Amino acid sequence: MDFYVNGEKIDITIESEKTVSDILKSFEAEAAKNEATTIGIKVNGEKIPAEEFDSLMHKPLEETQSIELNVLSKASLIDALKSSKSAFVELEVKLKEVPVLLQCGKEKEANAIIADFAKNIDEFCHNVTMSALFPELYSSILIDGKAVSDFFEEFAPIIADFEQSMQTKDSVTSGDLCEYEIAPRLGIIAAAIDQCISN
């Protein structure tokens, strides 16, 4: 049987394990010691949806050619958050340049900064969601003294206004929102990440 973790083939020794479930329990116990958890499973090349998990777990090992696990570690999440912090520090500066770029007709440059902002916010939100698998890490992420969900609940109307101003090509409103509303909040998020990862 072939066993893969995050695409890398791993040599394992089968001892008393008889089923897929036995293998996964042994692996999860080891992963937990390293602050990691399994977030995706493929057996014999097929991705296993959560609802089919229980029925497949009792599959005998002799009928199993391969098990592939997608594993997430707390350390990799912290690295991802560090990357988000660096990106937000840069974007805080760049977003303040958007009004001038728009006024000068440099829409291509402004749009590239805005696209970068959207990508990085999306990645940050995904990583925060995944950090819920590590409750201690998740609870330590406080932005401006608020839970991430509360912060983004307040941020969402500003993003909505910004999207609308971009659609209507209202460059003055778009520039003002970038400079005075969005950029400062990225600085706040970066400071929050810094606080979280230094604890």
Side-chain angles (χ1 to χ4, degrees):
M1 182 189 71
D2 294 328
F3 190 78
Y4 298 86
V5 176
N6 294 343
E8 188 177 333
K9 191 172 181 181
I10 305 290
D11 289 327
I12 60 166
T13 304
I14 307 294
E15 292 173 351
S16 58
E17 294 87 359
K18 301 272 192 293
T19 65
V20 171
S21 178
D22 293 337
I23 287 280
L24 293 181
K25 279 178 189 166
S26 297
F27 181 81
E28 272 297 304
E30 282 303 310
K33 291 177 192 173
N34 296 298
E35 295 188 293
T37 190
T38 303
I39 56 171
I41 300 171
K42 280 186 184 177
V43 175
N44 297 339
E46 284 185 44
K47 191 173 183 179
I48 309 304
E51 61 272 15
E52 292 176 26
F53 197 69
D54 287 341
S55 61
L56 182 115
M57 288 301 93
H58 303 295
K59 191 179 183 76
L61 285 182
E62 58 261 28
E63 294 176 21
T64 307
Q65 286 81 49
S66 69
I67 297 175
E68 299 169 60
L69 303 182
N70 189 5
V71 174
L72 179 69
S73 70
K74 183 178 172 182
S76 67
L77 266 179
I78 288 171
D79 285 344
L81 289 172
K82 285 178 182 174
S83 294
S84 289
K85 178 202 155 189
S86 299
F88 290 150
V89 167
E90 273 185 43
L91 280 164
E92 183 184 7
V93 174
K94 287 181 178 176
L95 282 165
K96 289 176 181 175
E97 297 167 1
V98 167
V100 174
L101 291 171
L102 291 174
Q103 286 162 23
C104 297
K106 296 182 177 178
E107 286 187 9
K108 189 176 178 184
E109 290 94 326
N111 288 338
I113 294 168
I114 292 160
D116 197 25
F117 157 69
K119 176 180 79 77
N120 278 285
I121 279 287
D122 189 50
E123 285 175 2
F124 173 70
C125 290
H126 172 73
N127 288 322
V128 168
T129 301
M130 297 307 287
S131 75
L133 294 166
F134 304 95
E136 194 180 311
L137 175 62
Y138 182 75
S139 64
S140 72
I141 306 171
L142 295 174
I143 305 175
D144 205 18
K146 304 177 187 81
V148 177
S149 55
D150 294 337
F151 178 84
F152 275 94
E153 197 174 313
E154 293 173 9
F155 197 6
I158 293 164
I159 299 294
D161 288 347
F162 177 66
E163 285 175 350
Q164 188 175 357
S165 71
M166 290 295 291
Q167 284 166 4
T168 58
K169 299 196 182 300
D170 180 352
S171 60
V172 174
T173 301
S174 295
D176 284 351
L177 287 170
C178 275
E179 185 172 2
Y180 301 113
E181 299 290 347
I182 298 172
R185 281 173 172 80
L186 294 191
I188 291 168
I189 296 171
I193 296 170
D194 198 37
Q195 181 70 29
C196 161
I197 59 182
S198 61
N199 283 344

